[in-house]
Amino acid sequence: QKEVEQNSGPLSVPEGAIASLNCTYSDRGSQSFFWYRQYSGKSPELIMFIYSNGDKEDGRFTAQLNKASQYVSLLIRDSQPSDSATYLCAVKTSYDKVIFGPGTSLSVIP
Amino acid sequence: DVKVTQSSRYLVKRTGEKVFLECVQDMDHENMFWYRQDPGLGLRLIYFSYDVKMKEKGDIPEGYSVSREKKERFSLILESASTNQTSMYLCASSGNKQPQHFGDGTRLSIL
């Protein structure tokens, strides 16, 4: 089992819809969770982080964490074509190492 | 805002050359990292450092070395470049218990 897994893409959603990106992790003691956005040919950019169970909202983005299920998700409301990118989930494990998932490619269709 | 600066966006070198990739951060971060990113393989950690003159091997250190003589600067060295080291190289930094922030990346081609 890989340490951090993300739903396989590519994911396509129509403009204005909600995009849902999922991530699971294997280390139950993980405490910190991050979402990065990476445009093609560019470097990853931090967009959200969450440490506690529940939801965290920032503008159109909501991160959801369920430690019991070892699951973290990113919801993008009112998706825009400019949201088209690869989204990387990153998890800081109990042994203090940050593991990145393989990424999910999102395409928002106008 | 955190600023992580990588010295080159694009670099072309020949096999056997010694290659230096430089990274500088302006946030007094303790932690610095070097990754490479290849299609289908994701981000892979090469080396990291938690303090000046400290270095730790990541998942794929073979063929690479690093130097951290000053807190703000972390250099990646390809001792004898080979074609399989053609890749996007990403530097990142973080404060303790803080998220990593990435530089713009260096796209390195080894001919």
Side-chain angles (χ1 to χ4, degrees):
Chain A
Q1 181 190 4
K2 292 184 180 178
E3 293 184 85
V4 178
E5 299 195 58
Q6 297 184 239
N7 47 337
S8 58
L11 178 67
S12 289
V13 299
E15 185 174 354
I18 296 175
S20 177
L21 303 161
N22 303 318
C23 174
T24 58
Y25 58 94
S26 60
D27 178 10
R28 186 168 287 278
S30 299
Q31 294 295 322
S32 307
F33 307 87
F34 312 97
W35 283 100
Y36 289 82
R37 177 178 62 201
Q38 187 173 23
Y39 293 115
S40 180
K42 303 293 186 182
S43 63
E45 174 194 8
L46 179 72
I47 54 172
M48 290 285 285
F49 57 89
I50 186 167
Y51 302 141
S52 305
N53 271 333
D55 294 0
K56 179 181 178 182
E57 191 173 312
D58 183 0
R60 295 186 296 112
F61 298 100
T62 299
Q64 299 176 317
L65 175 61
N66 184 327
K67 289 185 179 179
S69 300
Q70 294 173 240
Y71 175 94
V72 57
S73 65
L74 179 70
L75 301 179
I76 307 174
R77 290 184 301 282
D78 187 24
S79 295
Q80 301 297 309
S82 59
D83 295 326
S84 298
T86 296
Y87 290 80
L88 303 174
C89 170
V91 176
K92 189 164 191 180
T93 64
S94 59
Y95 46 97
D96 221 28
K97 182 177 178 182
V98 175
I99 308 292
F100 285 83
T104 300
S105 175
L106 171 67
S107 181
V108 180
I109 312 301
Chain B
D1 271 358
V2 178
K3 185 69 175 173
V4 180
T5 302
Q6 295 186 230
S7 53
S8 306
R9 290 297 309 276
Y10 301 93
L11 205 53
V12 179
K13 296 290 182 181
R14 299 214 171 268
T15 55
E17 279 193 72
K18 192 169 186 176
V19 181
F20 294 85
L21 302 182
E22 305 287 343
C23 176
V24 177
Q25 50 92 4
D26 67 354
M27 288 300 294
D28 202 35
H29 282 167
E30 292 81 5
N31 311 313
M32 297 188 75
F33 307 83
W34 274 107
Y35 296 88
R36 63 177 286 178
Q37 188 175 36
D38 302 284
L41 296 177
L43 276 169
R44 292 183 291 169
L45 182 63
I46 305 171
Y47 267 97
F48 61 100
S49 169
Y50 287 152
D51 202 350
V52 177
K53 298 194 185 295
M54 245 211 62
K55 58 185 179 184
E56 297 282 346
K57 292 180 180 179
D59 300 319
I60 51 162
E62 296 78 19
Y64 303 94
S65 63
V66 290
S67 172
R68 194 166 181 200
E69 295 296 318
K70 294 185 177 181
K71 191 175 185 179
E72 67 270 19
R73 185 180 297 271
F74 193 35
S75 304
L76 180 69
I77 303 154
L78 284 66
E79 297 291 344
S80 178
S82 63
T83 54
N84 63 9
Q85 292 178 309
T86 290
S87 186
M88 168 73 101
Y89 288 87
L90 291 160
C91 176
S93 75
S94 72
N96 284 334
K97 302 187 187 301
Q98 297 296 313
Q100 294 181 25
H101 295 269
F102 287 85
D104 288 339
T106 296
R107 192 167 291 281
L108 175 65
S109 296
I110 308 294
L111 305 179

